[in-house]
Structures are given as C-alpha cells and as structure tokens.
Amino acid sequence: QVQLVESGGGLVQAGGSLRLSCAASGRAFSSYAMGWFRQAPGKEREFVAAITWSGGRTSYADSVKGRFTISRDNAKNTVYLQMNSLKPEDTGVYYCAALKGVRVDVISEYDYWGQGTQVTVSS
C-alpha cells in the first residue's frame, strides 16, 4: 500500500518555474516506478513524466521535454517534478502515481494516486 501527497503547486507567470513534490508513505515506495500526470479543465488526464524505481531512466511527454525534469529521492520517499519555462497550457491539476504495469503513459497502468496539486500559469 502506498499513499501519495502532492505539494508545491501555485500561481506563476509564464516563463517561471515551480517544483512539485510527491511524498509517499509505505515501505514499498522504492520498488515502484512513478509518474506525473496532469488534467486541465474540460480535458482528459494526460501523461507528463515517469521515472524508474532506481531513477536511472526517465520518460517525458513531448510537450514538456526540455522544460520539465522528474527525479526521486528514495531515502525521503519523495518524487519531484521541476517545471521550468512554464506556459499557460501547462495549467492544470498535477497528480503523481505509482506504476503497477509497464506502460508509463497509460493511466490504467498506475495503482495509487495522489489527490493532486493545482498549477496555474498566467500569460
């Protein structure tokens, strides 16, 4: 069992930066690959980034490549999403999730979800 709590969201101007954190409880955290998703108003939830259990491999949606960086600290049971050069289209609720399957960009492959944190980017 893994419980996830996101934090770090807020209001930022276009071009700015935010760092999201996802704190996990449960000793199984370090065995899970982790992902970040986001959902804009009126749109479906979409994949943003993922990281393997060891942190050795990462994946990104094309829309965030070169701007966002996912990382993790297994000693702190935390996964991060550093977001730079933010754009208004990055606005949405950001969720972290623990992967049970293999397809990192597929929502149904994830087992546990946080409650989300709001990110708003003004133009």
Side-chain angles (χ1 to χ4, degrees):
Q1 187 87 8
V2 177
Q3 293 182 323
L4 304 170
V5 179
E6 302 94 337
S7 62
L11 173 63
V12 64
Q13 289 188 332
S17 298
L18 283 174
R19 188 175 83 152
L20 305 184
S21 298
C22 173
S25 63
R27 286 182 284 181
F29 170 76
S30 61
S31 65
Y32 279 92
M34 297 293 294
W36 284 96
F37 286 74
R38 67 186 180 189
Q39 187 166 18
K43 294 189 176 181
E44 294 186 352
R45 194 170 299 189
E46 64 175 4
F47 170 74
V48 175
I51 188 167
T52 55
W53 68 270
S54 66
R57 190 164 60 190
T58 57
S59 302
Y60 297 94
D62 287 343
S63 59
V64 307
K65 277 181 184 175
R67 300 188 298 122
F68 290 13
T69 302
I70 188 171
S71 62
R72 69 189 295 162
D73 185 339
N74 286 341
K76 295 182 178 180
N77 277 12
T78 302
V79 62
Y80 305 97
L81 186 68
Q82 177 67 44
M83 306 186 295
N84 299 328
S85 303
L86 282 161
K87 305 175 181 180
E89 52 264 44
D90 294 319
T91 294
V93 178
Y94 282 70
Y95 300 89
C96 69
L99 182 70
K100 66 178 178 181
V102 296
R103 295 173 294 175
V104 299
D105 60 340
V106 177
I107 291 174
S108 60
E109 296 284 286
Y110 287 81
D111 212 1
Y112 302 105
W113 291 83
Q115 84 291 347
T117 185
Q118 176 70 45
V119 171
T120 304
V121 184
S122 63
S123 57

